[in-house]
Amino acid sequence: MTDFLKELGIEGTLPGVYDGAWKGSGEIIESLNPTTGETIASVRQATREEYDGAVAAAGEAFARWRMVPAPIRGEYVRKLGNAFREHKEALGALIALEMGKIRTEGEGEVQEMIDICDFAVGLSRQLYGKVMQSERPLHRMTEQYHPLGPVGIITAFNFPGAVWAWNAMIAAVCGDTNLWKPSPNAPLTAIAAQNIANRVMEGTGFEAVFCLAVGGSDIGQAMAADKGLSLISFTGSTPVGRKVGATVAERFGKTILELGGNNALIVMDDADLENALRAVVFGAVGTAGQRCTSTRRVLLQKGIAEEFTNNMLKAYPSIRIGDPLDADTLMGPLVNAAAVDNYKKCLEQVKEQGGEILCGGKVLDRPGNFVEPTIVKAPADMPVIQHETFAPIVYVIEFETLDEALAIHNNVPQGLSSAIFTTNMLTAENFLSHRGSDCGIANVNIGTSGAEIGGAFGGEKETGGGRESGSDAWKAYMRRQTNTMNWGTDLPLAQGVEFDI
C-alpha cells in the first residue's frame, strides 16, 4: 500500500491549497479508508484568505493563459495525459483505497482522465465558429468563441478524479484556468492529481492554470458567490445543486449542474436476457451503487419478469464483497457511515411502503462500511422510488406494454441515464424518440452505467441540465461572439431601415 501512496506524494498531513505554490493553514480533516475506518492521511484545508488567494492566482494566470494559442495549450494537456498514463496504476489504487470502488474501476477512472486529455488535445485545433450570410451587401457575419474566465469545479466523492478532468482539461484548452474544490470525502485523490499536474506545469509560468482548494461547504458557498469565477461546474445532490444554481444565477454567472440520477433499465420480452442481466448487475452493484448513473430501477415486461428476477437472485450471491484492492472483489464498501445510515433508512421506508426485500438488506458485521447488495420488488408508485439512494439497492417493477414502461420510466424527478434491452427495432426507436426516454442519456442493449467521454454527459429535469466532457460541451467554457464586417463603402442598415442625416 505504501508504495503507491509514496509515488503520489500522499503521506502524513498534507497542504490542501495550491495557487502556484502549496499552502493550507485551515482546519485539518482526515481521509478515512472506508474498508477499515483507518486514517490514510490528513489534509489541512483552505482558510477564506487562502481561498481568495487561489481565486486571484487563477485570475492572474487567465490573463496570460488566454493569449496562448489553443494548440499550444493542447500541448500542455497532452503532457498531462501522458503523466496520468505514467501513474495510472498508483492513482487507480488510491481512488480504490480512498472511496471504495474496486481497483479495476479505479484504474478505469484514471483511463477516463487520460481519454479526456486526448480528446482535449484534438479539440484544441477544433474550436470552430461559423460564417453566416448577411442580408446587407458587402458584409460578412461570423461567430467566434473566446475564453470565458476562471472556472470553479466542485466534484463529488464517487468520481474523485474523472469529473475534475472532464471539466479542467476542456476548460484549459479553451483558454480558461481552474479552481478545484474536491469532496472532503476524497481529498487525497485531488492532491495526488494536483501533484501530477504540478510536475507538468512547473517552470512554465502557468503553474496556476490548475489550482486547488480543499474545504467544506463554506468554500463551496464562496465559490458560488464569487464573481471571480465565470463558471461553476457542480457535481452533487439536487438540493445542494439547487442552491448553487440560484446563487450563481443571482450574479449572472454560468453553471454546469450534474445532479441526481434515478436511472431505469427496461427489459422487454424479446431481449437478450443474458446481456440484460450482466448490465443490471453491474449497473446496480458497481461502485456499490454510488454512481450517478447506477441502475436504480429495473422494469420487467411480465412475460420474462419471473425468469429474470430469479436470474438476478441467482447472480447476487456470487458478488464478492470485500477489500476493493483485492483483485477478486466485485463490490467494495460505501464511502462512509452516513451512507450506511441512508441505506438502512431507505430499506425501512421500503418495508413501510409495501416493498418486498427479495435478497440482501443487511449491514455486514465487519469493520468498514459494508452492506449487502439488495433487490426490492416494488409497486411502481412506491414513494421511496422517487428519491435517489446512493447505495446498492435496485427496485424491480413489472409492466405489460411499452407505453406503460415509458410512463413508469419517466415518472421520476430526475433524468440522467436510461436503457432498454430489446431486439425489436421499432421498440428501440420508440425508446429513443421524443416520446420515449426523457433522460440526457438513452442506451439500447447496454446498461445505464459507463458513459464514454466522446459524448456530452448530463441529464434533464432535477439532474440539472448540464453537459460536460465530449461532443460540443466545450462551448459552455467559452463566450460566444457574433461579428459583422462591413467591407464596402456604404452603410446599409439591417431590415431595410432608412435613417438619412
Side-chain angles (χ1 to χ4, degrees):
M1 181 185 297
T2 55
D3 289 344
F4 69 78
L5 292 177
K6 287 181 179 179
E7 177 181 334
L8 298 170
I10 302 299
E11 53 187 339
T13 300
L14 301 161
V17 184
Y18 186 82
D19 63 0
W22 280 111
K23 298 173 183 174
S25 56
E27 182 181 349
I28 293 177
I29 58 169
E30 295 182 333
S31 178
L32 302 179
N33 180 348
T35 301
T36 64
E38 299 172 344
T39 299
I40 305 169
S42 301
V43 179
R44 193 173 285 281
Q45 300 181 95
T47 64
R48 180 55 195 260
E49 291 73 22
E50 288 165 340
Y51 159 77
D52 289 338
V55 174
E60 188 276 331
F62 170 69
R64 294 178 291 108
W65 181 247
R66 65 183 174 180
M67 301 305 296
V68 176
I72 296 176
R73 297 193 296 254
E75 178 64 11
Y76 285 100
V77 172
R78 183 188 67 79
K79 292 177 181 178
L80 187 51
N82 287 339
F84 288 139
R85 283 183 173 90
E86 181 183 347
H87 298 287
K88 178 178 176 179
E89 289 188 11
L91 193 53
L94 175 59
I95 290 171
L97 178 70
E98 185 172 40
M99 71 75 49
K101 65 176 61 173
I102 61 175
R103 191 162 189 163
T104 183
E105 289 188 77
E107 291 188 13
E109 180 169 349
V110 182
Q111 187 62 49
E112 283 193 62
M113 299 169 73
I114 295 166
D115 291 345
I116 200 65
C117 287
D118 289 348
F119 182 93
V121 173
L123 178 65
S124 69
R125 295 180 182 271
Q126 301 178 73
L127 301 173
Y128 298 136
K130 293 181 179 180
V131 177
M132 296 159 286
Q133 298 303 312
S134 174
E135 67 188 56
R136 290 170 282 186
L138 306 184
H139 282 58
R140 183 180 74 249
M141 291 180 64
T142 59
E143 183 178 83
Q144 62 180 334
Y145 288 84
H146 296 292
L148 182 63
V151 172
I153 305 170
I154 303 174
T155 59
F157 75 87
N158 57 334
F159 279 85
V163 174
W164 165 73
W166 291 355
N167 286 274
M169 300 308 118
I170 301 299
V173 297
C174 287
D176 302 329
T177 54
N178 303 272
L179 175 62
W180 180 15
K181 189 196 94 65
S183 166
N185 288 311
L188 303 183
T189 298
I191 290 172
Q194 184 71 55
N195 279 335
I196 294 170
N198 292 351
R199 293 168 197 163
V200 172
M201 305 305 286
E202 185 178 7
T204 66
F206 296 113
E207 289 82 359
V209 167
F210 302 104
C211 294
L212 178 71
V214 176
S217 59
D218 57 329
I219 298 298
Q221 290 165 5
M223 292 175 72
D226 200 324
K227 292 183 178 180
L229 299 174
S230 300
L231 168 71
I232 297 295
S233 175
F234 172 80
T235 301
S237 71
T238 296
V240 177
R242 186 174 282 113
K243 294 177 182 178
V244 170
T247 301
V248 177
E250 189 172 346
R251 61 177 175 87
F252 297 103
K254 292 188 175 183
T255 55
I256 297 174
L257 299 176
E258 298 290 356
L259 311 177
N262 194 348
N263 316 296
L265 186 152
I266 299 171
V267 185
M268 303 298 293
D269 285 349
D270 57 22
D272 181 327
L273 298 187
E274 183 177 347
N275 279 343
L277 179 66
R278 293 179 62 198
V280 165
V281 175
F282 174 69
V285 174
T287 323
Q290 296 174 113
R291 293 186 178 213
C292 38
T293 55
S294 290
T295 304
R296 308 290 176 198
R297 299 173 291 145
V298 178
L299 312 185
L300 303 176
Q301 197 163 22
K302 288 194 174 178
I304 52 89
E306 183 177 356
E307 176 186 358
F308 195 87
T309 302
N310 287 336
N311 290 341
M312 291 178 66
L313 292 172
K314 291 175 185 176
Y316 265 52
S318 68
I319 296 166
R320 298 179 295 278
I321 303 170
D323 185 343
L325 291 173
D326 188 329
D328 292 330
T329 299
L330 291 179
M331 192 184 98
L334 295 178
V335 67
N336 55 29
V340 175
D341 288 340
N342 286 334
Y343 168 87
K344 292 191 293 185
K345 289 174 184 176
C346 176
L347 293 178
E348 289 171 5
Q349 290 179 289
V350 164
K351 295 172 185 176
E352 293 169 358
Q353 295 172 14
E356 179 185 358
I357 297 175
L358 300 181
C359 76
K362 297 183 180 66
V363 176
L364 297 182
D365 185 15
R366 57 179 290 180
N369 305 312
F370 291 96
V371 301
E372 292 180 336
T374 303
I375 301 171
V376 174
K377 186 174 182 180
D381 59 354
M382 195 164 69
V384 70
I385 292 176
Q386 296 290 310
H387 306 285
E388 178 187 43
T389 301
F390 242 44
I393 300 171
V394 67
Y395 303 103
V396 173
I397 302 167
E398 295 185 13
F399 68 90
E400 292 186 358
T401 67
L402 177 61
D403 284 345
E404 182 186 356
L406 291 173
I408 296 169
H409 176 283
N410 294 342
N411 188 33
V412 292
Q414 308 84 1
L416 179 53
S417 186
S418 59
I420 192 169
F421 274 77
T422 180
T423 54
N424 186 306
M425 182 183 71
L426 299 181
T427 300
E429 290 292 347
N430 269 278
F431 179 74
L432 298 177
S433 76
H434 58 272
R435 65 180 293 274
S437 167
D438 64 358
C439 294
I441 300 169
N443 299 327
V444 176
N445 294 329
I446 61 172
T448 64
S449 192
E452 299 181 32
I453 60 94
F457 182 90
E460 301 300 322
K461 303 190 293 187
E462 288 190 3
T463 301
R467 295 295 187 275
E468 55 196 3
S469 191
S471 185
D472 66 348
W474 61 271
K475 293 180 179 178
Y477 304 89
M478 305 196 81
R479 60 181 178 88
R480 185 193 310 245
Q481 186 178 77
T482 300
N483 308 129
T484 305
M485 167 70 75
N486 178 0
W487 53 280
T489 57
D490 295 323
L491 190 67
L493 299 178
Q495 294 85 47
V497 173
E498 305 236 354
F499 193 82
D500 293 329
I501 56 172

